[in-house]
Amino acid sequence: MTASANPSVLFVCVHNAGRSQMAAAFLTHLAGDRVQVRSAGSAPADTVNPAVVEAMSEVGIDISAEIPKVLTTEAVRSSDVVITMGCGDACPYFPGKRYLDWQLDDPAGQGTGAVRPIRDQIEQRVRGLLAELDIEATP
């Protein structure tokens, strides 16, 4: 764990425009300030996928102001848990970090209807991660 009392989690996908944005938003929403949350992409898009923004707003989470961010070595180095979602070997590896790879469909180019099941899978995985971290999700 980092020097702070709160664990740090980094979500990584290729464009940081869909899966990693949803995961970071769910973790922030469910854990508040009890977890440090980051997201990034190995090849960030210009904007977050509009269907992802809409699907998240349907569950009361506004990510319309989020901007895709580039994956940096420092972001990985300063995270306790690194969760990849289809970024392949682009993610740097540091011993002592916990790495998880979540196999999820890519919402790129999909409409809101196709994004909803991906969103729901991500929410369930984030809730599972919170349980593993022994952090109770806010209702």
Side-chain angles (χ1 to χ4, degrees):
M1 296 287 174
T2 55
S4 74
N6 296 339
S8 175
V9 177
L10 170 64
F11 294 101
V12 183
C13 66
V14 175
H15 300 296
N16 190 224
R19 294 167 290 189
S20 56
Q21 289 284 351
M22 288 189 281
F26 272 122
L27 187 54
T28 299
H29 179 74
L30 296 169
D33 61 1
R34 295 170 292 161
V35 177
Q36 295 174 0
V37 182
R38 297 179 183 88
S39 73
S42 53
D46 293 330
T47 60
V48 174
N49 180 333
V52 167
V53 172
E54 183 176 335
M56 291 300 287
S57 105
E58 292 175 354
V59 295
I61 300 174
D62 181 7
I63 63 169
S64 61
E66 293 298 326
I67 299 168
K69 295 164 280 306
V70 69
L71 175 65
T72 65
T73 301
E74 183 52 37
V76 177
R77 183 180 289 126
S78 61
S79 298
D80 298 309
V81 180
V82 179
I83 299 174
T84 59
M85 304 173 193
C87 73
D89 295 330
C91 193
Y93 178 82
F94 291 99
K97 304 288 175 198
R98 180 174 176 204
Y99 288 87
L100 300 171
D101 185 46
W102 289 357
Q103 297 294 318
L104 297 158
D105 291 338
D106 189 348
Q110 304 292 322
T112 306
V115 171
R116 286 183 192 114
I118 301 167
R119 173 200 66 199
D120 295 345
Q121 289 175 3
I122 290 171
E123 180 182 9
Q124 290 309 308
R125 289 180 188 223
V126 167
R127 287 181 181 279
L129 176 65
L130 282 170
E132 290 175 28
L133 296 172
D134 202 26
I135 295 173
E136 189 174 332
T138 56

